[in-house]
């Protein structure tokens, strides 16, 4: 007997079934028992089930609205292709319009186009060290330059063939880079690239293509007016289908440094003598709200059905009472 109880305790499937069974028996079961003592078993079942599915409908409506509770798959990035050099056309057609890393503007030259912004940025010693250091030692990325001002970002996007670069303040950059890290850490990618961890490569830039304009986050340096943002939200309502959202994460092999126990670990630095590797990904919107939406609609149908049965039963009883009164008269 004790062995059976121990097996139930450590088996999550059996334990879960027992928990649900007890909960159903105690919660709806107790309500049904109380109601049935006053109305009878048949009417008690109808009232209990109508109340139960009405409550489930309200609860699942909140799940549907906020994407919580019993939900489907969350949106995620799915890798389409890992391109080693971009020397030839990629399988993803849209990526061919993005200039190759070697054809993109040099970050230092791009920064020199904006002397006022550069002067302000050079007041930061960390940023100044990136600009003044030999590019062979540490590469200044386009993302860092584009993060300085929205004007730089807008001008650079015009040269990207419909793509747009993400600044380092963009919250989407972290999620996209993390998805690319998972791809590069897979067994298949390790055999292809030779990367065994995130320390083996340096993430340079992240580019986006497509998607809804209304989904673009508001960055601290953006000067878009509130009225313009509101209008963008309104126009997105009439765009029910979400365009495909693609991302390209460019990385380079990192330099190898001899570890020095007396010094802190060296920062990751890219090798400028090798081609940049591009991780091409497609945004999968998932079905986060589909499951609660289905749950809500089923609960609503059941609630309306049991409520209609109660209404129909009341009408029959009223008709019988009326007929009985007429017979008495």
């Amino acid at each position: 007997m004790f062995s059976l109880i121990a097996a139930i305790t450590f088996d999550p499937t059996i334990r879960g079934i027992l928990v649900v069974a007890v909960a159903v028996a105690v919660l709806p079961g107790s309500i049904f028992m109380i109601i049935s003592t006053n109305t009878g078993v048949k009417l008690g079942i109808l009232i209990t089930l109508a109340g139960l599915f009405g409550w489930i409908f309200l609860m699942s409506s909140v799940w549907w609205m906020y994407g919580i509770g019993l939900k489907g798959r969350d949106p995620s990035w799915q890798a389409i292709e890992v391109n080693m050099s971009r020397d030839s056309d990629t399988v993803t057609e849209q990526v061919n319009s993005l200039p190759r890393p070697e054809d993109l503007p040099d970050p230092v030259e791009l920064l020199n186009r904006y002397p006022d912004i550069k002067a302000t940025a050079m007041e930061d010693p960390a940023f100044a060290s990136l600009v003044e250091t030999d590019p062979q030692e540490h590469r200044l990325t386009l993302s860092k330059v584009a993060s300085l001002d929205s004007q730089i970002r807008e001008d650079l996007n015009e040269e990207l063939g419909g793509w747009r670069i993400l600044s380092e303040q963009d919250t989407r950059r972290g999620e996209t880079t993390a998805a690319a890290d998972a791809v590069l850490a897979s067994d298949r990618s390790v055999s292809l690239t030779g990367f065994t961890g995130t320390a083996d490569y340096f993430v340079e830039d992240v580019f986006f293509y497509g998607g809804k304009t209304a989904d673009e986050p508001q960055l601290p340096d953006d000067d878009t007016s509130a009225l313009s943002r509101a209008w963008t939200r309104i126009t997105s309502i009439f765009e029910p289908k979400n365009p495909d959202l693609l991302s390209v994460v460019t990385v380079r092999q990192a330099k190898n440094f001899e570890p020095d126990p007396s010094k802190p670990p060296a920062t990751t630095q890219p090798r400028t003598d090798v081609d940049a590797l591009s991780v091409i990904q497609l945004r999968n919107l998932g079905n986060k709200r589909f499951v609660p939406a289905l749950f809500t609609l089923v609960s609503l149908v059941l609630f309306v059905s049991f409520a209609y049965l109660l209404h129909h039963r009341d009408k029959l009883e009223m008709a019988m009472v009326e007929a009985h009164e007429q017979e008495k008269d």
Side-chain angles (χ1 to χ4, degrees), residues 49-165:
L49 291 178
L52 175 62
F53 286 109
W55 172 76
I56 292 177
F57 166 71
L58 295 177
M59 178 187 64
S60 57
S61 299
V62 176
W63 288 355
W64 186 3
M65 183 181 305
Y66 293 101
I68 59 177
L70 184 64
K71 59 182 181 180
R73 300 188 309 274
D74 289 328
S76 61
W77 287 104
Q78 291 185 345
I80 303 177
E81 182 182 356
V82 177
N83 189 278
M84 301 301 295
S85 64
R86 296 278 309 279
D87 287 337
S88 58
D89 290 344
T90 59
V91 176
T92 309
E93 183 178 354
Q94 294 88 336
V95 181
N96 296 325
S97 62
L98 177 66
R100 299 172 65 249
E102 292 74 14
D103 299 331
L104 291 172
D106 182 82
V108 177
E109 294 179 358
L110 177 64
L111 183 61
N112 291 333
R113 300 178 191 175
Y114 308 89
D116 294 339
I117 299 175
K118 179 180 179 181
T120 304
M122 293 295 285
E123 296 176 0
D124 182 6
F127 185 84
S129 65
L130 292 179
V131 178
E132 296 171 352
T133 304
D134 186 352
Q136 299 296 327
E137 295 297 329
H138 198 298
R139 181 179 174 83
L140 177 66
T141 63
L142 289 172
S143 295
K144 291 184 180 296
V145 177
S147 302
L148 297 176
D149 192 88
S150 60
Q151 185 61 44
I152 299 178
R153 192 163 53 252
E154 292 175 2
D155 293 344
L156 178 59
N157 288 340
E158 294 179 358
E159 305 178 27
L160 299 181
W163 290 75
R164 55 191 182 275
I165 191 169

Side-chain angles (χ1 to χ4, degrees), residues 47-287:
I47 296 175
T48 302
L49 291 178
L52 175 62
F53 286 109
W55 172 76
I56 292 177
F57 166 71
L58 295 177
M59 178 187 64
S60 57
S61 299
V62 176
W63 288 355
W64 186 3
M65 183 181 305
Y66 293 101
I68 59 177
L70 184 64
K71 59 182 181 180
R73 300 188 309 274
D74 289 328
S76 61
W77 287 104
Q78 291 185 345
I80 303 177
E81 182 182 356
V82 177
N83 189 278
M84 301 301 295
S85 64
R86 296 278 309 279
D87 287 337
S88 58
D89 290 344
T90 59
V91 176
T92 309
E93 183 178 354
Q94 294 88 336
V95 181
N96 296 325
S97 62
L98 177 66
R100 299 172 65 249
E102 292 74 14
D103 299 331
L104 291 172
D106 182 82
V108 177
E109 294 179 358
L110 177 64
L111 183 61
N112 291 333
R113 300 178 191 175
Y114 308 89
D116 294 339
I117 299 175
K118 179 180 179 181
T120 304
M122 293 295 285
E123 296 176 0
D124 182 6
F127 185 84
S129 65
L130 292 179
V131 178
E132 296 171 352
T133 304
D134 186 352
Q136 299 296 327
E137 295 297 329
H138 198 298
R139 181 179 174 83
L140 177 66
T141 63
L142 289 172
S143 295
K144 291 184 180 296
V145 177
S147 302
L148 297 176
D149 192 88
S150 60
Q151 185 61 44
I152 299 178
R153 192 163 53 252
E154 292 175 2
D155 293 344
L156 178 59
N157 288 340
E158 294 179 358
E159 305 178 27
L160 299 181
W163 290 75
R164 55 191 182 275
I165 191 169
L166 297 190
S167 66
E168 295 189 337
Q169 292 90 354
D170 199 316
T171 56
R172 299 170 297 175
R173 179 184 170 93
E175 182 186 2
T176 310
T177 304
D181 290 338
V183 173
L184 296 175
S186 63
D187 295 337
R188 185 176 180 181
S189 294
V190 168
S191 61
L192 179 66
T193 63
F195 299 150
T196 58
T198 55
D200 293 338
Y201 56 87
F202 177 85
V203 178
E204 288 189 334
D205 302 310
V206 179
F207 303 94
F208 268 28
Y209 181 89
K212 277 190 173 183
T213 306
D215 294 336
E216 294 293 315
Q218 180 72 13
L219 299 178
D221 60 343
D222 286 345
D223 55 358
T224 307
S225 64
L227 182 60
S228 177
R229 295 196 300 270
W231 177 251
T232 301
R233 289 289 182 183
I234 294 174
T235 55
S236 67
I237 298 175
F238 302 97
E239 191 180 8
K241 186 177 180 180
N242 290 278
D244 289 340
L245 179 61
L246 296 170
S247 70
V248 172
V249 181
T250 58
V251 302
R252 288 186 189 270
Q253 182 180 354
K255 292 183 179 180
N256 294 324
F257 294 95
E258 292 295 333
D260 188 349
S262 62
K263 298 180 180 179
T267 57
T268 305
Q269 297 183 8
R271 290 181 54 184
T272 57
D273 59 337
V274 296
D275 292 329
L277 184 148
S278 301
V279 181
I280 305 169
Q281 302 175 105
L282 173 66
R283 186 67 169 175
N284 185 341
L285 299 178
N287 56 356

